[in-house]
Amino acid sequence: MSGGWLLALWLVAQAPQDLRELAEAGLKARQAGDLAGAIRAFEQFVAAAPDVAAGHVHLGAALLEAGVYEKAVHCFERALSLDPGLITAHRFLGTLRLNRGEAAAAVPHLEKAKSWDLLGVALLESGRLAEAIPALETALAERPDDPDLLYYLGRAHSDLSRQLLDRLLELHPDSARAHQLLGEAHLAAGNRELAEKELRSALALRSQLPGVRLALGDLYAAAGDYERAEAEYRAEAEARPADAQAAYKRGAILLNLGRIEESVAELERAERLRPDMPETLFELARALTAARRLEAAAQRLRRVLELEDRSRLAESSAFQLAQILRRLGQHEEADKQLERYRRIRALRKQQ
Amino acid sequence: MQVAACFAILLGALELVSPRGVDFLLRHSPTSQKYIVETMTGGLALLDYDRDGRLDLFFVNGGRLDDPVKAPVRLARHEPAYWNRLFRQQADGDFADVTARAGLHRAGESNYGMGVAVGDYDNNGFPDLYVTNFGLNQLFRNNGDGTFTDATAAAGVAAGGWSVSAAFLDYDRDGWLDLFVSRYLDWDFHRNLHCGTPFLAYCRPDRYNGTSNLLYRNLGNGRFEDVSRSAGIAGSIGKGMGVAVFDYDRDGWPDIFVSNDGMEQFLYRNLGNGRFQEVAFEAGAALSDDGRAYAGMAVAAGDYDNDGWPDVLVTNLALEHWALYRNEGGLFRYASQESGLAAISASSSGWGAGFRDFDNDGWKDLFVSRSHVLDNVEKIHSGLRYKEPAALLWNRGGRFLAAESKGLPAVAGRGAAFGDLDNDGAIDVVVSVLGEQPQIFRNRQRGNHWLTLQLVGTRSNRDGQGAVVRIGRQMVEVTSSGSYLSASDLRVHFGLGSQTQADVEIQWPSGVRQRLSGVAVDQILEVREP
């Protein structure tokens, strides 16, 4: 632990002059892996200096390492009774309690220690989902690729979502939102007919309910029925002219329908509504390519590649950019982009 | 010809007919094991094997599979039900089974049939057959007397592994047709995987390793030399399906396009020195426009926009969009959306395909045989269908519109071959169907003028394969290749609309340029290389 050497210095500094040798002996023994020796030395230390909080922390840490959990807990609690603000003791105690399944008891200690990752987990395990999410997000900001954090944050969102939706269905089973929810759930599960039925029921109750027509559009688009998908996306876009998502989806489906100029116009509108949305930029580039506006398409793809470096979209953008540059006669740059595409593809395959 | 029912079953101008004598059932032998080979067969050819002026039909059969197949693998094809079949067209338009008489009943004992290529490899004036198999392939030399001789061993073209499509081409322009073979997977019955939960389904090709394609150079003495490695073909490991031969960069040397299943496509550019370079990425035809691979099935090459440059279509599975690459001066641009094909093919799976002018209006239309690859896809994706009716798409100035169909049954369509069966100037189609009789579509289109040319090479290969024929803005390359597993009529067909005569320009593979002025339309004209 990063604060370990500070605590050690603090212990030596806090120790009465005649006990400094004992403290140093305990630290050396622990460092050498001699847990029994370390425990003996720290026990002698706390017996001689029972009011030095750091001594209890070190003894607790050595006991913890040796698997003597009950005694370790007692040591950390004793240290905190002497110095309630002792962060290291809070961290130890919070971690210990979380590991022993006492998530609720761990929370106050991890809060004081500002251990966002473990606090997020403790809150999640305690059922305090709404509080867990910001803690885990704070931790994830520091370690964005950490698989454990990604898992726990995903789980927290999922559990919270389930809780809220269960409540919605319980309290308002015949509401438009309940039908929308069930429709989206059926859609996700691939039950197209049930999804369509629920989404249509939602619309029958609230014809302007946001998101329902988008879901219907997705349903038809996934089945390859682009004409009906476009009609739904159009209805959503007309009802919510400031909705970039609706404009993006309509623009993309117009492209698949071969209505190139309309697609460009709609995707440019989506771009104005929400600049720098990578998905919009990419679809717009495809539409502009079909409209033979190659420079404008290349500009959007370059922007995607500034925003994303190794996503699926970045891979596709590098590929598409290489094709455009070759058509523009920029063969050297095209080769570079093709190489970039291959590099991203290889990286993604490794992942 | 006898009509199938008391009412006409129509797909646009194409009428589904059942001529007497075509008694062929494509036996693919589906098993509970879901051997992937079962769903891939279905080659056929339209060729005039006896040179009587009428196209005949050759069908490749699958084979008998035990369930499960036990070691050692014996695919016993000596039973007549598993033979490949040759049907000779008679003067009245009916057909007669001449398989045994022609000596084509020997399909092999340890193979499972796939596809066929047609070309006169010995320049004796009669088309030969190359049959691809899972197992050893077979070359049948046409003796010119109505019989064929198995010349596989003498020619050295048995290959092995899992061959799929094949094409004859004169890649070195020495006047002898060479042979290209696409191969699919490194697979056999005992390495077949079980995929799909809870419904067992044919595995995706990415569960198996790919393999290399083959190129055989015709030495002119009845033998071929395997030049796959030295020509730069074998270095690309793919999952080859369809093959089309055309000169995409108009440098005079035939190039080869191979559709690959679940990975990037291959475009082998002929460098003119006996070597090829795989350039699909550089040419813009490797992937869809969003950089995704798809399940490449058939390849159809043709100048659909009449700009003088051959374009390419690759059919694939539902939810992928058939990939149309528009050739713009030797660089391809993905044009599935603007051509209307993306919307038409969104929920449809395509196999055999070809660009032909079915209404003789001067624009090449598109025919696609259809079906999903999974015979239980309805259980897996409620929005998709296994069996689909074939599709005819009218070309209206570069944009495709689906022709109306009336009563056309949904089938598991696979190979498709094109040609003028009744020599009436309208292109007909034959489709192979898994587990069923083939579908034969007779084109009832009338009204527009046409011209069909049969080329006879003298310095070039006798078929004239590789010759480029132009009439006005239209361009057609002579080849029997393209589609899936299939070989089409080698004659070159032009729809001419209201045009009453035509000026024809032929660029022969030998380099000879031939011009014919004021040619009368509505005829089949034999043109000899000067």
Side-chain angles (χ1 to χ4, degrees):
Chain A
M1 50 181 283
S2 58
W5 66 275
L6 276 174
L7 189 69
L9 286 176
W10 181 53
L11 172 67
V12 174
Q14 271 200 333
Q17 193 62 38
D18 53 331
L19 294 179
R20 279 190 185 170
E21 280 183 18
L22 204 51
E24 283 171 350
L27 290 169
K28 276 182 189 163
R30 194 175 160 212
Q31 204 169 15
D34 176 12
L35 288 178
I39 290 168
R40 254 195 325 275
F42 289 132
E43 277 177 343
Q44 288 175 26
F45 183 95
V46 298
D51 296 334
V52 177
H56 293 284
V57 173
H58 276 280
L59 177 56
L63 288 165
L64 182 63
E65 212 170 326
V68 189
Y69 300 119
E70 289 303 332
K71 282 189 176 178
V73 168
H74 177 75
C75 289
F76 296 133
E77 285 176 343
R78 176 77 182 128
L80 288 172
S81 71
L82 294 166
D83 182 355
L86 193 53
I87 298 295
T88 314
H90 280 298
R91 186 179 297 127
F92 271 122
L93 194 52
T95 308
L96 187 53
R97 289 210 182 283
L98 180 61
N99 286 342
R100 302 192 74 196
E102 300 163 10
V107 167
H109 298 295
L110 294 169
E111 275 175 342
K112 290 201 173 68
K114 295 191 169 133
S115 294
W116 304 115
D117 50 357
L118 296 176
L119 174 61
V121 177
L123 288 164
L124 177 63
E125 299 296 345
S126 312
R128 294 161 64 180
L129 300 173
E131 297 163 81
I133 288 169
L136 289 165
E137 279 176 341
T138 305
L140 193 66
E142 291 171 13
R143 306 201 306 272
D145 296 330
D146 188 306
D148 292 328
L149 286 174
L150 289 167
Y151 162 75
Y152 279 116
L153 185 56
R155 210 185 100 189
H157 278 290
S158 160
D159 288 357
L160 180 61
S161 157
R162 198 161 43 237
Q163 268 186 14
L164 294 170
L165 299 177
D166 284 349
R167 202 164 151 219
L168 167 65
L169 293 177
E170 191 181 318
L171 295 176
H172 309 284
D174 296 322
S175 67
R177 287 294 192 190
H179 286 294
Q180 181 182 16
L181 172 62
L182 290 171
E184 288 170 356
H186 285 309
L187 187 57
N191 301 324
R192 289 167 20 82
E193 286 176 16
L194 289 172
E196 186 175 14
K197 182 172 163 245
E198 292 293 346
L199 292 168
R200 289 279 168 216
S201 298
L203 278 184
L205 292 166
R206 278 174 66 183
S207 62
Q208 297 295 310
L209 193 62
V212 178
R213 289 195 181 277
L214 280 187
L216 276 169
D218 290 347
L219 187 150
Y220 297 134
D225 188 347
Y226 297 155
E227 293 287 355
R228 292 178 81 185
E230 192 277 331
E232 298 300 337
Y233 292 146
R234 181 168 13 100
E236 186 90 17
E238 283 169 359
R240 261 161 290 287
D243 185 338
Q245 183 80 350
Y248 153 71
K249 291 200 171 196
R250 178 165 182 254
I253 213 77
L254 283 167
L255 176 61
N256 278 335
L257 282 166
R259 291 158 63 179
I260 306 300
E261 290 306 326
E262 288 174 86
S263 170
V264 169
E266 191 67 351
L267 288 164
E268 283 178 340
R269 194 172 73 81
E271 186 186 36
R272 286 193 298 275
L273 289 168
R274 194 190 302 172
D276 281 347
M277 185 169 128
E279 290 81 2
T280 300
L281 290 168
F282 182 72
E283 287 301 319
L284 180 53
R286 291 175 78 191
L288 288 165
T289 306
R292 293 180 168 74
R293 290 164 58 187
L294 300 184
E295 295 283 3
Q299 181 199 331
R300 268 48 176 222
L301 293 169
R302 286 200 173 94
R303 185 63 187 139
V304 175
L305 288 164
E306 286 168 7
L307 296 167
E308 309 222 343
D309 57 355
R310 53 180 166 165
S311 64
R312 179 72 186 81
L313 214 52
E315 180 185 329
S316 297
S317 298
F319 170 79
Q320 177 76 333
L321 184 55
Q323 309 298 313
I324 290 171
L325 292 170
R326 205 170 300 283
R327 290 162 54 75
L328 288 169
Q330 299 172 29
H331 294 283
E332 201 173 317
E333 185 61 25
D335 288 341
K336 281 184 191 166
Q337 292 300 336
L338 195 54
E339 187 50 41
R340 182 181 199 170
Y341 158 77
R342 288 183 168 130
R343 204 168 50 242
I344 299 171
R345 188 169 72 155
L347 273 172
R348 286 173 39 75
K349 274 190 177 169
Q350 279 174 9
Q351 287 170 354
Chain B
M1 285 189 179
Q2 190 180 42
V3 176
C6 56
F7 58 89
I9 298 173
L10 293 171
L11 173 59
L14 301 176
E15 180 182 353
L16 185 63
V17 298
S18 297
R20 271 188 291 265
V22 183
D23 181 18
F24 175 76
L25 188 69
L26 174 52
R27 294 180 190 274
H28 64 307
S29 304
T31 67
S32 66
Q33 303 298 308
K34 300 288 180 194
Y35 296 119
I36 190 170
V37 73
E38 300 162 11
T39 194
M40 311 296 283
T41 184
L44 74 149
L46 268 58
L47 74 161
D48 181 8
Y49 84 98
D50 54 358
R51 284 183 54 192
D52 65 354
R54 291 184 293 271
L55 286 178
D56 311 298
L57 302 176
F58 179 77
F59 294 99
V60 180
N61 217 335
R64 195 186 75 191
L65 302 180
D66 294 331
D67 189 4
V69 171
K70 296 186 184 76
V73 176
R74 300 174 79 89
L75 303 170
R77 294 186 62 194
H78 56 273
E79 294 173 39
Y82 300 103
W83 290 358
N84 304 321
R85 292 278 173 177
L86 177 65
F87 297 97
R88 178 174 177 269
Q89 187 178 179
Q90 302 171 157
D92 61 1
D94 290 336
F95 288 82
D97 187 337
V98 295
T99 309
R101 196 193 325 161
L104 292 171
H105 56 293
R106 297 182 191 88
E109 285 303 304
S110 294
N111 63 44
Y112 183 96
M114 295 300 295
V116 57
V118 172
D120 182 6
Y121 82 92
D122 56 356
N123 286 336
N124 72 346
F126 290 87
D128 309 297
L129 292 169
Y130 184 74
V131 179
T132 60
N133 295 306
F134 170 77
L136 297 178
N137 299 337
Q138 294 165 300
L139 176 65
F140 293 103
R141 180 179 178 274
N142 191 331
N143 301 315
D145 59 359
T147 66
F148 289 79
T149 299
D150 188 338
T152 315
V157 291
W162 185 349
S163 301
V164 182
S165 297
F168 283 102
L169 74 159
D170 184 7
Y171 81 92
D172 52 2
R173 291 170 44 189
D174 65 352
W176 296 95
L177 286 177
D178 312 297
L179 180 60
F180 182 90
V181 183
S182 74
R183 295 197 295 180
Y184 188 40
L185 300 175
D186 179 17
W187 175 91
D188 64 44
F189 289 98
H190 302 298
R191 286 185 289 151
N192 189 63
L193 301 173
H194 286 172
C195 296
T197 306
F199 305 107
L200 195 62
Y202 300 113
C203 290
R204 292 164 52 97
D206 55 13
R207 299 294 305 274
Y208 302 102
N209 291 326
T211 187
S212 60
N213 299 313
L214 299 169
L215 179 65
Y216 293 102
R217 179 167 175 263
N218 188 338
L219 302 178
N221 58 0
R223 290 198 57 78
F224 287 76
E225 176 190 6
D226 185 344
V227 294
S228 313
R229 193 157 298 283
S230 60
I233 297 294
S236 309
I237 300 300
K239 296 174 182 179
M241 298 278 278
V243 176
V245 177
F246 57 101
D247 182 10
Y248 88 95
D249 54 359
R250 289 174 45 173
D251 66 353
W253 296 93
D255 309 298
I256 304 166
F257 195 104
V258 177
S259 54
N260 281 315
D261 190 359
M263 57 176 287
E264 62 267 26
Q265 313 304 300
F266 287 165
L267 173 57
Y268 295 104
R269 179 170 175 248
N270 190 335
L271 302 179
N273 58 0
R275 289 188 57 78
F276 288 81
Q277 184 180 7
E278 201 288 294
V279 297
F281 270 107
E282 290 75 8
L287 301 168
S288 64
D289 70 332
D290 59 354
R292 287 175 194 266
Y294 48 79
M297 303 291 197
V299 191
D303 180 16
Y304 84 95
D305 56 354
N306 286 339
D307 69 349
W309 294 85
D311 312 294
V312 185
L313 171 88
V314 182
T315 56
N316 50 35
L317 292 182
L319 310 179
E320 291 182 324
H321 301 160
W322 302 338
L324 177 63
Y325 298 100
R326 187 172 181 167
N327 189 340
E328 296 182 345
L331 283 177
F332 290 98
R333 185 168 61 78
Y334 187 83
S336 296
Q337 296 103 342
E338 69 195 54
S339 63
L341 280 184
I344 291 170
S345 64
S347 59
S348 184
S349 305
W351 290 81
F355 288 111
R356 297 291 188 282
D357 186 354
F358 291 100
D359 55 1
N360 288 338
D361 68 347
W363 292 88
K364 292 176 190 68
D365 311 297
L366 180 60
F367 180 95
V368 180
S369 64
R370 301 190 295 180
S371 157
H372 204 276
V373 70
L374 305 180
D375 55 4
N376 54 358
V377 70
E378 288 92 345
K379 292 179 181 172
I380 297 161
H381 192 301
S382 63
L384 300 183
R385 301 170 306 283
Y386 172 53
K387 292 184 176 181
E388 294 185 60
L392 172 63
L393 309 178
W394 296 123
N395 182 346
R396 297 292 178 248
R399 193 171 170 91
F400 292 96
L401 298 172
E404 285 186 23
S405 81
K406 184 180 155 193
L408 188 61
V411 295
R414 289 298 184 266
F418 307 89
D420 187 355
L421 282 173
D422 45 8
N423 293 330
D424 64 351
I427 294 292
D428 310 299
V429 189
V430 182
V431 173
S432 66
V433 179
L434 290 185
E436 295 184 43
Q437 296 268 336
Q439 288 187 323
I440 300 177
F441 293 93
R442 187 174 171 195
N443 192 337
R444 305 290 187 193
Q445 184 71 38
R446 297 291 179 271
N448 285 328
H449 296 293
W450 54 277
L451 179 63
T452 296
L453 304 174
Q454 173 145 23
L455 270 57
V456 178
T458 53
R459 277 180 277 185
S460 304
N461 67 83
R462 198 181 183 291
D463 286 347
Q465 294 211 41
V468 178
V469 185
R470 294 177 193 278
I471 296 180
R473 293 176 58 194
Q474 293 189 63
M475 180 274 285
V476 179
E477 294 189 46
V478 181
T479 178
S480 60
S481 70
S483 189
Y484 175 68
L485 301 176
S486 302
S488 294
D489 187 356
L490 270 164
R491 296 175 298 180
V492 179
H493 169 265
F494 288 86
L496 296 171
S498 58
Q499 209 175 316
T500 53
Q501 60 178 25
D503 295 332
V504 180
E505 181 184 312
I506 303 169
Q507 177 72 50
W508 291 86
S510 62
V512 170
R513 191 178 292 267
Q514 184 175 14
R515 290 176 196 277
L516 307 169
S517 299
V519 176
V521 298
D522 300 336
Q523 65 163 328
I524 298 171
L525 181 67
E526 184 178 292
V527 181
R528 292 185 72 83
E529 182 180 15

